[in-house]
């Protein structure tokens, strides 16, 4: 294993404040994991957090990529500079300290525990494992048992397929042409949820749940949703997603929902101060984190339905000595079961950093009761054909 260029010891830096003023502002503590001003790093890409509050991130320095981990103290290499990484699609990180990642320059899918890089799929093994030669892999999802869900693109046909690596064997969950697959999520029970267009669904579009070793089954869809962004899945099999829909007054809205079997809860929509949402993350307690824009032009991260009290951080905020100019949060890997989440920030002074946010447990938002299906008329408002939408939507 190659050593890093230098020992990067970043002393834990924390910042606490209430998320805007308000009657019930949530208090957040922010920990700086890494920053370009206090290290040799020149930039950051993907991030992931495990259930110990440790953060893994992809970093760049001197034109090289590596994967590192930290919790606000010392930074340790998981895949050091010089290991030959060129095109990392994404990473995930479990509590054993194992990082799953793909490098699409190979292309290959790997895990690393900080000492040994273990291949899951390489060009030499792919034909026997998958039945085709891939030209790209999605950002993988690893659980506490070390199982890895991933999506692959067939070099010959461009078809997408979804797979689960479990116990040193790879199972194909779904593939084209039967499924046109988009986002997916793996929980600790080896259940996989994904959104797809498929002939087996009544309207073609559905969230599918593949439980353990079973076949994918479309979730009940009493509201007739069309195109769905997400989903993310917790261990209780609750699925969080965002979608466009019509309410009972025929208003076109975007909303964030949680679905637990046939029960659907509308968490927040664009009928108020929110103007748009990105895919939400959900943990085992039902807590949510998502990106959103407001009618006043603000863009930020939120941990609930109130645009004031649940605001975490937004572009334009003063943060760790500079002004935030960009934020990045990965819903598939960014939230843990302690209610902590990680994000990247770019600043007006040209620096960039990786951060962890902790919100006080007493302030964690409760999931609203399900909105009556009688008050919603959901329809597919994104008039996109399967061919228009099938190109990679990896996260």
């Amino acid at each position: 294993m190659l050593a890093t260029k230098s020992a990067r010891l970043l002393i834990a830096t924390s910042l606490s404040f209430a998320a805007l003023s308000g009657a019930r502002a949530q208090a957040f503590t922010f920990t700086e994991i890494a920053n370009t001003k206090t290290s040799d790093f020149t930039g950051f890409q993907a991030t992931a957090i495990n259930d110990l509050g440790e953060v893994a991130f992809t970093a760049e320095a001197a034109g090289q990529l590596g994967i590192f981990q930290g919790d606000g103290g010392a930074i340790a290499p998981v895949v050091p500079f010089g290991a030959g990484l060129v095109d990392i699609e994404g990473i995930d990180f479990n509590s054993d300290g194992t990082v799953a990642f793909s490098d699409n320059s190979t292309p290959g899918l790997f895990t690393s525990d900080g000492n040994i890089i273990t291949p899951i799929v390489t060009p030499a093994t792919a034909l026997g494992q998958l039945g085709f030669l891939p030209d790209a892999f999605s950002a993988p999802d690893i659980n506490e048992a070390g199982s890895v869900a991933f999506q692959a693109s067939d070099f010959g046909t461009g078809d997408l397929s979804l797979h689960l690596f479990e116990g040193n064997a790879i199972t194909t969950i779904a593939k084209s042409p039967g499924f046109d697959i988009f986002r997916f999520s793996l929980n600790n029970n080896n259940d996989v949820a994904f959104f797809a267009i498929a002939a087996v669904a009544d309207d073609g579009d559905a969230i599918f749940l593949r439980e353990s070793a079973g076949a994918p089954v479309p979730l009940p869809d009493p509201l007739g949703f069309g195109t769905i962004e997400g989903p993310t899945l917790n261990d209780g099999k609750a699925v969080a997603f965002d979608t466009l829909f019509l309410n009972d007054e025929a208003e076109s809205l975007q909303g964030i929902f949680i679905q637990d079997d046939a029960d659907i809860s509308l968490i927040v929509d664009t009928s108020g101060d929110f103007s748009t949402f990105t895919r939400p993350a959900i943990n085992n307690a039902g807590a949510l984190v998502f990106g959103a824009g407001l009618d006043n032009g603000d863009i930020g991260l939120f941990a609930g339905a109130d645009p004031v009290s649940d605001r975490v951080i937004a572009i334009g905020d003063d943060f760790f000595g500079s002004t935030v100019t960009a934020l990045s949060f990965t819903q598939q890997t960014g939230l843990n079961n302690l209610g902590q989440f990680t994000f990247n920030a770019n600043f007006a002074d040209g620096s960039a950093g990786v951060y962890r946010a902790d919100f006080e447990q007493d302030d964690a938002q409760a999931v609203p009761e399900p909105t009556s299906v009688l008050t919603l008329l959901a329809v597919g408002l994104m008039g996109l054909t399967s061919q228009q939408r099938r190109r990679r939507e990896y996260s």
Side-chain angles (χ1 to χ4, degrees), residues 167-297:
N168 295 318
I170 294 177
T171 301
T172 299
I173 295 173
K175 62 182 179 179
S176 301
F179 291 87
D180 208 10
I181 306 161
F182 296 93
R183 307 284 178 173
F184 65 92
S185 181
L186 170 71
N187 69 12
N188 288 319
N189 302 317
N190 286 340
D191 306 319
V192 179
F194 61 97
F195 173 68
I197 304 170
V200 298
D202 290 341
D203 60 0
D205 293 34
I207 293 175
F208 291 81
L209 179 63
R210 186 261 195 186
E211 297 185 63
S212 187
V217 176
L219 293 182
D221 189 5
L223 299 180
F225 285 122
T227 299
I228 293 170
E229 288 292 335
T232 52
L233 175 71
N234 69 15
D235 291 349
K237 301 178 187 176
V239 176
F241 60 92
D242 74 88
T243 187
L244 296 179
F245 67 100
L246 293 181
N247 66 7
D248 58 338
E249 297 176 351
E251 295 175 306
S252 175
L253 301 173
Q254 185 182 9
I256 289 178
F257 295 80
I258 293 177
Q259 181 167 1
D260 188 355
D261 195 20
D263 295 328
I264 298 179
S265 304
L266 173 60
I267 306 303
V268 62
D269 62 35
T270 52
S271 62
D273 293 330
F274 287 102
S275 61
T276 187
F277 303 106
T278 60
R279 294 171 298 278
I282 188 172
N283 69 8
N284 286 343
L288 295 176
V289 176
F290 54 88
L294 299 180
D295 291 339
N296 65 8

Side-chain angles (χ1 to χ4, degrees), residues 12-90:
T13 306
S14 297
L15 176 69
S16 299
F17 65 87
L20 295 183
S21 60
R24 193 187 57 81
Q26 291 194 45
F28 292 87
T29 298
F30 295 93
T31 300
E32 186 173 88
I33 306 299
N35 190 289
T36 56
K37 293 189 294 187
T38 55
S39 71
D40 295 336
F41 300 133
T42 57
F44 305 103
Q45 297 179 14
T47 57
I49 189 168
N50 65 19
D51 282 346
L52 301 177
E54 301 165 336
V55 175
F57 58 92
T58 303
E60 184 175 0
Q64 299 186 85
L65 290 178
I67 301 174
F68 299 82
Q69 68 177 42
D71 61 3
I75 297 295
V78 180
V79 181
F81 296 129
L85 299 184
V86 176
D87 183 14
I88 300 175
E89 180 63 33

